[in-house]
Each structure stands twice: as C-alpha cells, then as structure tokens.
Amino acid sequence: MDDLVLKKIVLEVINQLNKTCIDSVFVLSDNNSFCFKNELENMGYKVDISNNACDFNNHCMFIIDDLSAEIISSISNLLYKDSNTSFIINALLSGKKVLALKDNDKFDNYKKTASNQLFSKLLELENTAKSYGLIILDSKSFLSYFSKNSNNEIKSSSASFDFTDKKVITKSDIMDIVKDYSSIIVRNNVIITPLVMDYIKENKINIIYNE
C-alpha cells in the first residue's frame, strides 16, 4: 500500500470519527430513559443514555435529564460530590456543551415551599452554573434548541459572531459557528479555557474583545 492511499484511508477514518462525535449525544438519566430520545434521533443524532458517567471525549454534547437543586449546587460550587457531578463539571471545564432539562413545575413547587431566602439562593446558584457554561432548558424550549432551522443562541453581526452575552466560551460554541464566521466578539473578562483557545487558533478564528 503506497503512502497516498494510506493517507486517504487515515483522513477518511478521522473524518468519520469527527462526524460521529459531532452527531453523538450522551444523556445522563437516573432511569436510563429520555422523553426526547425519538425526536433527537429523527433529527439525526445518535443518543446514548445511561445513569453512569461516560468518557466525554466520545460525544460532542451532554444532557442532564432531570436538573435538581442538588446538581445545580454541585456545579455552581465546583463540588465533586460523586462520579456523575464530577463528570458534568469536567465536561464543562473541557469546553463541552452541557444541557440540563429543567422541570419548571418542580422549581415552582420549591418557590412555594421554601423560604424566600433559600429560593433566592437557588436562583443565584442556577445563574452561577449558567455562567460556567451550563445551558438550562425547559421541556417547551428543548427541541427548538436542536432545530436545524433555528439557532436560538446565535446572534450574528456581519462576519463576526457576537458572544458578548456569554461569560464562558466552550468548544461546542465555536464548533457551531466555525463554518460561517471568521471572528468572534467577546467581553473582556470572558473565560476561554486553553483547550478551547487551541481550537480557536487551529481554525484561525479572530477574537475581538468588547470593552
């Protein structure tokens, strides 16, 4: 086998591996089921469901099936309580896209039963988790996030993509826009991990810092 043929085979294998990663979603669920599994598969995603953490390098996106106050607290305080919360935190630190499905009825009940101070603290922790990159969606907005025709996170500004509403830039954020934009606009105090910065440099994305 000559070098040219071998190179083509290697490139094709890499391409297929990348494609699998981009389309593969991991759902962390206590009951090993997920109500939106069929819908995501119909959109072309490969959905893996488990109640145990996985190797997050094999997936491009992760979903927490049932966001609880306990998980919010662990993420916002960077508390490595167990293997699953450690997995979520490490996925965020590695620039992976992590979504959480929030039961609004459950949180409305918290509001009714908890003290105002405690519920306010929960909202504060939720905002902290969001600032770390956690994307929180309810059942009504969940599928629209995955719609091929609507990117509800994207705010375009000519040839630059506006990320000034984000405190943390993840690798998945850049993957979403790398084909269409050559620059990103970010706030001065934005957090970009070394792994994400390497990916930005590899794809020759310019960073424009907003005052």
Side-chain angles (χ1 to χ4, degrees):
M1 185 180 298
D2 60 44
D3 291 343
L4 182 59
V5 174
L6 181 60
K7 183 177 180 181
K8 287 182 178 180
I9 293 174
V10 171
L11 289 175
E12 180 61 25
V13 170
I14 293 173
N15 180 59
Q16 291 301 317
L17 288 173
N18 288 336
K19 185 178 186 299
T20 300
C21 179
I22 291 172
D23 293 335
S24 184
V25 176
F26 179 81
V27 180
L28 191 62
S29 175
D30 286 338
N31 55 13
N32 286 332
S33 65
F34 184 54
C35 60
F36 293 110
K37 181 177 185 293
N38 290 337
E39 288 86 346
L40 290 182
E41 288 179 338
N42 289 336
M43 292 180 184
Y45 291 97
K46 179 180 180 295
V47 181
D48 296 321
I49 305 172
S50 176
N51 58 1
N52 293 313
C54 70
D55 180 356
F56 54 73
N57 290 317
N58 295 330
H59 302 80
C60 74
M61 188 181 302
F62 304 89
I63 300 171
I64 303 167
D65 184 20
D66 185 11
L67 183 64
S68 65
E70 182 180 9
I71 293 175
I72 290 175
S73 177
S74 296
I75 295 173
S76 61
N77 289 296
L78 298 180
L79 180 62
Y80 290 77
K81 181 180 179 182
D82 52 39
S83 60
N84 285 344
T85 53
S86 298
F87 161 75
I88 295 167
I89 293 170
N90 287 331
L92 289 169
L93 288 172
S94 299
K96 297 290 186 177
K97 183 171 290 186
V98 182
L99 281 65
L101 188 58
K102 178 180 178 180
D103 185 342
N104 283 336
D105 291 338
K106 181 190 294 185
F107 280 77
D108 286 342
N109 192 50
Y110 290 157
K111 186 175 182 179
K112 294 175 183 176
T113 57
S115 67
N116 291 335
Q117 291 84 353
L118 182 57
F119 187 71
S120 295
K121 181 62 176 179
L122 178 60
L123 294 181
E124 180 183 326
L125 293 174
E126 182 178 323
N127 287 330
T128 299
K130 287 180 180 178
S131 74
Y132 292 161
L134 183 67
I135 301 168
I136 300 177
L137 303 167
D138 59 25
S139 58
K140 293 181 179 178
S141 61
F142 184 82
L143 286 178
S144 64
Y145 179 87
F146 289 87
S147 172
K148 301 299 183 182
N149 297 319
S150 71
N151 264 326
N152 58 350
E153 280 195 307
I154 294 181
K155 297 190 304 179
S156 60
S157 174
S158 64
S160 300
F161 189 87
D162 190 346
F163 277 129
T164 53
D165 61 336
K166 295 180 70 71
K167 294 182 180 179
V168 180
I169 304 298
T170 68
K171 183 177 178 180
S172 294
D173 290 329
I174 305 302
M175 288 173 65
D176 286 343
I177 59 94
V178 68
K179 292 182 180 179
D180 301 313
Y181 297 87
S182 58
S183 302
I184 59 172
I185 304 173
V186 300
R187 58 174 67 183
N188 277 337
N189 60 346
V190 70
I191 298 173
I192 305 177
T193 65
L195 178 66
V196 179
M197 187 62 77
D198 288 342
Y199 184 78
I200 289 173
K201 290 178 180 177
E202 287 171 7
N203 287 277
K204 298 179 180 179
I205 300 292
N206 296 318
I207 302 177
I208 302 172
Y209 289 93
N210 199 352
E211 294 292 339

